[in-house]
Each structure stands twice: as C-alpha cells, then as structure tokens.
Amino acid sequence: MVFAKTWGLMANDPQRVPLALQTLAGCVQLPSDLDACGVASAADGAVLLKRTPHPAPEASLADLVGAIKGTCAVVQLRGASELRPKRDGVSNLGPFRLRGFAAAIASQPGNPDEANAARAALLAQVPEFLRASVHGSTEAEAFFFAIMGRLH
C-alpha cells in the first residue's frame, strides 16, 4: 500500500489521468484524516490551481485530482491532524504557485512557534515585489517563495 501526501504527475493524455488513478485505488491509501486536497497543473505556460477543502469522506484519489488541464501536475493532500495557522483558509492549502511555477511542500514543524519562526526567517529572504504574492501564513508557502526569490 502506497501512502504519500505530495506527488507529481506527467501525462501525455491528461484526460486519462482519472482512469489511471482509479486503477490504482487498491494500491494507494488516502490519509484517514484527509481534510483537503490541492492540485496545480501546468497548461500553456500558466499554472492552474484547484484547492478542495473538506472533500467528501468517500472521495477517491481520482475524484480528488480529476482531469488535469496540462501534461504535468503536482498534488498535495492534507490531514486534519497537521499543524496549521489559526486563521486557516484555502490560501494556506498547497500546492503553491507563482506564474509558471508550482510546488507541493509537505512540512511538519514541531509546534506553532517553530513554524512562525521558520516562516519569518524564510520571508526575510523574499524580495519585496514577491512578498505581495504571498497569500497564506504557512512556512511551506514561505519556503516556496524563498525558492522563487532565489530564482529571480
């Protein structure tokens, strides 16, 4: 049984992704406390983002991912037991994107103080023009934008 919270897909026929995922249903286990799913797919030089907070308990992996729009995608699953900011919303849900870039980042800080300290240290390295694109308050998103700042 495979258990993963972040993973990537590449497909030469994106419309067949749900069918492929259905055939893997017996091999892939979703987190028992699944409370959110995010999918970022690259199409025509842009990244399309779909975030599903509180998916139906009976949803399969194929239901959660659906048909992707481009030839590659990243998927991130989140469990209810994961540490998250007090004002949690869809902007705190991965994957994260900026223009043609996307990343699914699974981080697991030990406590809220560590998470806040890591976020502050990472955001201090992000150029001001990129900070305006930070919408959430997780250290995972701050890490993504720190990478984007290094690529600039």
Side-chain angles (χ1 to χ4, degrees), residues 59-109:
S60 69
L61 188 57
D63 296 332
L64 293 170
V65 174
I68 62 173
K69 304 295 183 199
T71 57
C72 64
V74 291
V75 178
Q76 184 166 353
L77 305 174
R78 183 180 74 182
S81 61
E82 292 179 34
L83 182 66
R84 65 192 68 187
K86 288 184 181 181
R87 289 187 213 107
D88 189 37
V90 293
S91 58
N92 289 319
L93 199 73
F96 304 103
R97 73 170 173 168
L98 179 70
R99 298 182 195 106
F101 296 92
I105 301 166
S107 61
Q108 193 59 32

Side-chain angles (χ1 to χ4, degrees), residues 120-136:
L122 288 164
L123 285 178
Q125 302 172 37
V126 176
E128 189 62 39
F129 75 95
L130 285 178
R131 278 191 220 159
S133 297
V134 177
H135 300 293

